[in-house]
Amino acid sequence: MSLYLYNTLTRKKEPFTPLHPPYVGMYVCGPTVYGDPHLGHARAAITFDVLFRYLRYLGYQVRYVRNITDVGHLEGDADEGEDKILKKARLEKVEPIEIAQRYTALYHKAMDALNVLRPSVEPTATGHIAQQIAMIERILQNGYAYEVNGSVYLDVEKYRQDYPYGILSGRNIEELIAGSRELEGQAEKKHPWDFALWKRAEPTHLMQWDSPWGRGFPGWHIECSAMSIHYLGVPFDIHGGGLDLIFPHHEAEIAQAHACFGPEAHHQARFWIHNNLVTIEGQKMSKSLGNFITIEEIFTGRHPKLSRGYPPMALRFLFLQAHYRSTVDFSEEALSAAYKGYLRLMTAFERLKEVRPHTYSSFSVSAWRERVFTALHDDLNTAAALAAFFEQTEDILRLRRQEIFLTPEDLSLLQKTWQEVLIDILGLIPLTQVEWHRWKIAIELLIRLRREARAAKNYSLADLLRDELQNMGVRLLDFPDETLWEMHE
Ligand SMILES: [Zn+2]
């Protein structure tokens, strides 16, 4: 069974094999650190965290590079507008590096809470100016770029004579021409669809470096080509990011790699993988629509669309319940349902530890396990994998009640699969790590008191205790000899 991944470049699912096994090089576009981390950041980070964890589980040695963009990301796609970090620094009257460091720290804090593993390398654009300049020089030498007034642009027309531009996004040059506007500062480009590799800085510009073309700063696209190739070589195995980065960002990266290294660059990466976006109640998430939700607001509940805060695992589970190439429509209802689903699986996981083995098995664990891994191998279908776990929660209750049975080997295979898939690969945090023990002691004490009240025919007290437990989100499962329970929100 081999892992199939959907490659945006070829528009089909392809079996994944690394270029240099057992090593895998993966680069994912990280955040531009000028604002609070939001739902879009969480989705991209969780998508590639699962891929990172799964590749490691499959035995690969993965070098995962995810960058921090701390310069050069302008407000507009066509090299226009202010640098996002500089603008924030100006508004808050602080140095750009203070903005970058503050929002990098907040990003790390949010991702740690969501149990997203840190990448192997996390390079910053400002820390790799030399590599970017070297790449631009080589592109100039190869004749695919031109310098005007201290800025350098990639010559898309020249590039198109040798390579197809638009191969990743499927856009053709006619659409690009129709879509490009005449903007301020565009006049120095030969064609509006040429893009900046290096921009000349005004003397007042706060972030600028020496270059062969005078003082300036790099374009956003060249950062990712330079950092990925510096750490992973070219071509490397996997380049990832959100769907919104396909054009122009990733298309530009591919052009830069060919323009610098020639056809041997092979589209910079073998697999181009893109996660879909998050919508809010059917609408695009944007600051101007007032439906922008940060990760911190999910945790605290301080947002007009939320009635309360939710733990990080609710959000992680919400994304895992969808295929990464489908949109996720966010609403409090969906988040709350995801939290219930997480609690249900995690209580079943705890109950599974209490099951005792038997001399025969009532069902085939290996067939079920194969179904789970078939789903994961099919382009990381976490939604189908989770469905298989949900279907098994009833069986776990019956195993615990000794109505059905498993041999010691089957039981340990079942426990192992729950641990490997839910905890190690999907990155869910088990209840035992979230104050679970204290909860468990209190809940089981209340259940014991209720059973004693019923035995003493004190039904009003028994009902009161049942209602209180219900309010705590605990659903009781009464059997003649014992009462089991599960978290139900
Ligand atoms: Zn990037």
Side-chain angles (χ1 to χ4, degrees), residues 404-432:
I404 55 174
F405 303 99
L406 289 175
T407 60
E409 296 73 38
D410 278 347
L411 180 58
S412 75
L413 184 64
L414 185 62
Q415 287 166 336
K416 184 172 120 130
T417 308
W418 277 67
Q419 168 71 38
E420 284 176 344
V421 177
L422 294 182
I423 311 301
D424 303 342
I425 297 169
L426 299 184
L428 295 171
I429 299 176
L431 295 173
T432 44

Side-chain angles (χ1 to χ4, degrees), residues 27 29 67 220 224 239 245 249-250 253:
Y27 183 89
C29 291
N67 74 299
W220 174 37
C224 283
H239 193 312
L245 297 181
H249 188 52
H250 289 166
E253 279 193 52

Side-chain angles (χ1 to χ4, degrees), residues 164-455:
Y165 187 68
I167 190 164
L168 184 70
S169 59
R171 296 195 192 197
N172 59 40
I173 202 80
E174 288 71 30
E175 283 177 80
L176 298 179
I177 295 166
S180 50
R181 299 158 291 163
E182 270 304 320
L183 292 153
E184 196 188 337
Q186 298 287 329
E188 63 184 25
K189 292 184 189 179
K190 285 191 197 165
H191 302 285
W193 51 91
D194 293 348
F195 57 86
L197 301 173
W198 186 263
K199 290 277 273 185
R200 184 176 74 93
E202 299 299 327
T204 53
H205 199 92
L206 287 173
M207 286 190 284
Q208 49 176 287
W209 291 265
D210 282 324
S211 80
W213 320 286
R215 298 206 37 102
F217 58 93
W220 174 37
H221 312 315
I222 196 74
E223 299 175 358
C224 283
S225 286
M227 288 187 277
S228 59
I229 292 168
H230 180 65
Y231 290 103
L232 302 174
V234 67
F236 53 89
D237 293 301
I238 297 171
H239 193 312
L243 209 60
D244 52 333
L245 297 181
I246 293 177
F247 191 88
H249 188 52
H250 289 166
E251 197 75 65
E253 279 193 52
I254 290 176
Q256 291 164 164
H258 287 148
C260 184
F261 298 102
E264 286 72 38
H266 290 295
H267 310 100
Q268 187 169 324
R270 168 82 179 76
F271 278 81
W272 285 82
I273 297 178
H274 295 94
N275 65 276
N276 213 319
L277 308 178
V278 184
T279 56
I280 311 286
E281 293 167 351
Q283 281 186 306
K284 188 177 186 288
M285 184 171 81
S286 83
K287 280 187 173 137
S288 55
L289 288 169
N291 64 2
F292 194 84
I293 305 180
T294 68
I295 297 169
E296 182 69 16
E297 286 165 343
I298 300 283
F299 297 166
T300 61
R302 279 189 224 108
H303 190 278
K305 291 205 180 289
L306 296 171
S307 65
R308 50 164 285 201
Y310 289 84
M313 285 303 106
L315 187 59
R316 188 168 179 114
F317 203 84
L318 176 72
F319 292 142
L320 293 175
Q321 274 191 302
H323 190 274
Y324 76 89
R325 286 193 292 118
S326 317
T327 52
V328 166
D329 190 39
F330 181 89
S331 63
E332 179 160 24
E333 206 184 343
L335 184 63
S336 167
Y339 187 40
K340 282 179 198 169
Y342 161 74
L343 289 172
R344 196 171 142 214
L345 288 192
M346 289 298 112
T347 32
F349 179 56
E350 294 307 318
R351 179 167 297 138
L352 181 56
K353 294 173 187 168
E354 301 163 3
V355 172
R356 283 198 293 270
H358 201 70
T359 49
Y360 67 89
S361 288
S362 310
F363 63 92
S364 164
V365 173
S366 55
W368 174 81
R369 179 181 159 94
E370 196 175 313
R371 197 179 135 203
V372 170
F373 280 96
T374 300
L376 292 175
H377 272 47
D378 181 15
D379 194 26
L380 287 184
N381 195 341
T382 57
L386 285 177
F389 281 91
F390 275 121
E391 281 174 30
Q392 215 185 45
T393 55
E394 286 304 311
D395 278 349
I396 288 174
L397 182 63
R398 293 176 67 209
L399 285 166
R400 167 65 182 75
R401 297 279 310 144
Q402 297 188 296
E403 293 164 12
I404 55 174
F405 303 99
L406 289 175
T407 60
E409 296 73 38
D410 278 347
L411 180 58
S412 75
L413 184 64
L414 185 62
Q415 287 166 336
K416 184 172 120 130
T417 308
W418 277 67
Q419 168 71 38
E420 284 176 344
V421 177
L422 294 182
I423 311 301
D424 303 342
I425 297 169
L426 299 184
L428 295 171
I429 299 176
L431 295 173
T432 44
Q433 285 173 33
V434 285
E435 302 257 317
W436 179 246
H437 286 302
R438 267 185 261 172
W439 269 87
K440 195 169 147 79
I441 291 164
I443 289 166
E444 289 181 353
L445 178 65
L446 290 172
I447 289 173
R448 208 175 85 206
L449 290 173
R450 173 172 166 268
R451 285 189 76 88
E452 284 175 11
R454 279 169 59 163

